[in-house]
């Protein structure tokens, strides 16, 4: 059992999560700006080269180079491959759809994770969490609005990415504990940088000259992407998961602010209502999960006391 974090460690974890979410959203904004000049596969390759160089330097600085062989572990490789597909889907949608809308759709991931656990028979869910799942689904429907002009292939790409993020998170739980997080991040940056352009090539993308000022956007995105991954890793490394997880939803606020200030995008009232439902349902599902775990820990403690008496 993991030891409970101190208040100071939880505060540091929350700060790291907020920083990580901000970095990821700014990274998305850089990629959206660059998408006016480059196709998705080419962007993922250029960003991947710089991100891999930065993460690899961190691997050596931390003395984890001897564990690079862990990249070949099935769950590490599977997670990286899924992340590559997620990146391609999301960046493709990001080139043509509002940043805040797509970011909000991704926040349905905790709800999708719960649903997958039920479908796979790994967890039983009570009626309260089922209500949260249905409310979160209703929120996504308000954002994508199937059957209206607001609904398009980009919304479907974001939904597909959200489902894959849920699968990725479940696979992450299966990675052996002795595999350093920075090695997992390295596997991700390498795979996204390789698989992304392969998918783009298969779809017939036409690449553009790289020696242009807009390439600097991808360099900045690479630094933000690598630092964002490190911040999230730091957030979960010592802090309690239950303490830092809710702050993932700060990305919606950041996306709204950047979408409005940089791209002049602002969701209408219906989409904003959808944002509120998705975030609210996710927070409530997290709250119920926290109660369930506390109850399970209490039962375990009582069982130990009774067996010791």
């Amino acid at each position: 059992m993991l030891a409970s974090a101190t208040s100071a460690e939880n505060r540091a974890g929350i700060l790291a999560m907020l920083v990580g979410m901000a970095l990821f959203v700014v990274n998305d904004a850089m990629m959206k700006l660059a998408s006016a000049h480059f196709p998705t596969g080419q962007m993922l390759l250029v960003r991947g080269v710089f991100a891999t160089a930065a993460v690899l330097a961190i691997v050596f600085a931390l003395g984890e180079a001897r564990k690079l062989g862990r990249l070949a572990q099935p769950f590490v490789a599977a997670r990286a491959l899924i992340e590559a597909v997620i990146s391609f889907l999301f960046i493709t949608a990001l080139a043509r759809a509002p940043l805040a809308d797509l970011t909000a759709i991704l926040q349905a991931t905790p709800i999708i994770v719960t649903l997958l656990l039920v479908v796979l028979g790994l967890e039983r869910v009570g009626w309260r969490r089922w209500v949260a799942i249905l409310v979160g689904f209703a929120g996504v429907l308000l954002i994508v609005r199937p059957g209206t002009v607001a609904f398009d292939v980009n919304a479907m790409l974001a939904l597909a990415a959200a489902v894959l993020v849920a699968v990725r998170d479940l696979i992450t739980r299966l990675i052996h504990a002795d595999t350093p997080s920075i090695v997992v991040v390295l596997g991700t940056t390498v795979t996204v940088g390789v698989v992304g352009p392969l998918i783009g090539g298969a779809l017939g993308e036409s690449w553009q000259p790289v020696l242009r000022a807009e390439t600097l956007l991808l360099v900045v995105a690479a630094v933000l992407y690598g630092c964002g991954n490190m911040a999230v890793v730091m957030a979960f490394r010592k802090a309690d998961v239950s303490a830092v997880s809710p702050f993932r939803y700060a990305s919606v606020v950041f996306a709204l602010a950047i979408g409005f200030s940089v791209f002049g995008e602002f969701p209408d009232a219906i989409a904003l209502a959808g944002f509120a439902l998705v975030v609210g349902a996710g927070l409530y599902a997290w709250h119920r999960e926290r109660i369930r775990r506390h109850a399970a820990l209490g039962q375990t403690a009582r069982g130990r006391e009774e067996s010791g008496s």
Side-chain angles (χ1 to χ4, degrees):
M1 183 185 303
L2 292 175
S4 180
T6 65
S7 296
E9 288 173 333
N10 280 335
R11 286 195 296 269
I14 290 170
L15 177 60
M17 176 60 77
L18 289 172
V19 171
M21 293 301 99
L23 292 176
F24 278 137
V25 172
V26 179
N27 158 74
D28 291 339
M30 294 295 103
M31 297 295 279
K32 185 174 178 66
L33 289 169
S35 68
H37 309 279
F38 302 109
T40 301
Q42 185 177 13
M43 288 194 295
L44 292 178
L45 172 61
V46 175
R47 188 187 71 174
V49 168
F50 288 99
T52 296
V55 174
L56 191 60
I58 296 173
V59 168
F60 281 95
L62 295 177
E64 301 288 8
R66 65 187 184 282
K67 296 183 179 179
L68 288 177
R70 308 288 171 84
L71 291 171
Q73 291 181 346
F75 290 128
V76 175
R79 184 193 184 281
L81 182 60
I82 291 172
E83 180 66 30
V85 179
I86 291 169
S87 295
F88 193 90
L89 293 175
F90 188 75
I91 299 302
T92 298
L94 192 61
R96 300 183 293 258
L99 173 63
D101 286 14
L102 300 183
T103 302
I105 292 172
L106 283 187
Q107 302 317 303
T109 295
I111 305 297
I112 298 172
V113 168
T114 302
L115 191 57
L116 286 177
L117 290 172
V118 173
V119 171
L120 297 174
L122 300 176
E123 190 172 307
R124 302 179 70 177
V125 173
W127 68 269
R128 293 180 181 86
R129 291 172 74 192
W130 273 117
V131 170
I133 289 172
L134 293 175
V135 170
F137 181 68
V140 172
L141 289 180
L142 287 178
I143 299 170
V144 303
R145 277 170 277 179
T148 70
V149 293
F151 181 74
D152 57 15
V153 67
N154 300 308
M156 290 299 297
L157 291 176
L159 282 173
V163 173
L164 288 176
V165 169
V167 175
R168 179 204 66 191
D169 288 349
L170 291 178
I171 289 178
T172 302
R173 299 183 186 183
L174 302 176
I175 295 175
H176 201 281
D178 67 356
T179 302
S181 297
I182 188 62
V183 172
V184 176
V185 173
L186 177 63
T188 298
T189 58
V190 171
T191 306
V192 171
V194 172
V195 175
L198 289 178
I199 297 175
L203 294 177
E205 288 184 345
S206 178
W207 286 20
Q208 303 300 315
V210 177
L211 297 178
R212 54 193 304 170
E214 290 79 12
T215 301
L216 292 176
L217 294 171
L218 299 178
V219 176
V220 173
V223 175
L224 295 171
Y225 182 70
C227 292
N229 271 292
M230 282 303 301
V232 172
V233 168
M234 290 169 61
F236 285 109
R237 209 57 170 168
K238 291 185 178 181
D240 293 328
V241 173
S242 61
V244 301
S245 289
F247 291 89
R248 284 183 181 274
Y249 294 105
S251 61
V252 177
V253 178
F254 295 140
L256 282 169
I258 293 177
F260 178 72
S261 61
V262 177
F263 303 104
E265 304 167 346
F266 196 79
D268 57 25
I270 295 176
L272 286 173
F275 291 2
L277 288 179
V278 169
V279 173
L283 288 173
Y284 183 74
W286 159 80
H287 172 68
R288 294 303 307 175
E289 172 65 12
R290 190 179 184 187
I291 291 176
R292 187 186 68 82
R293 290 191 178 186
H294 283 178
L297 289 174
Q299 290 178 353
T300 301
R302 286 192 296 271
R304 288 176 179 173
E305 291 175 358
E306 291 173 359
S307 63
S309 59

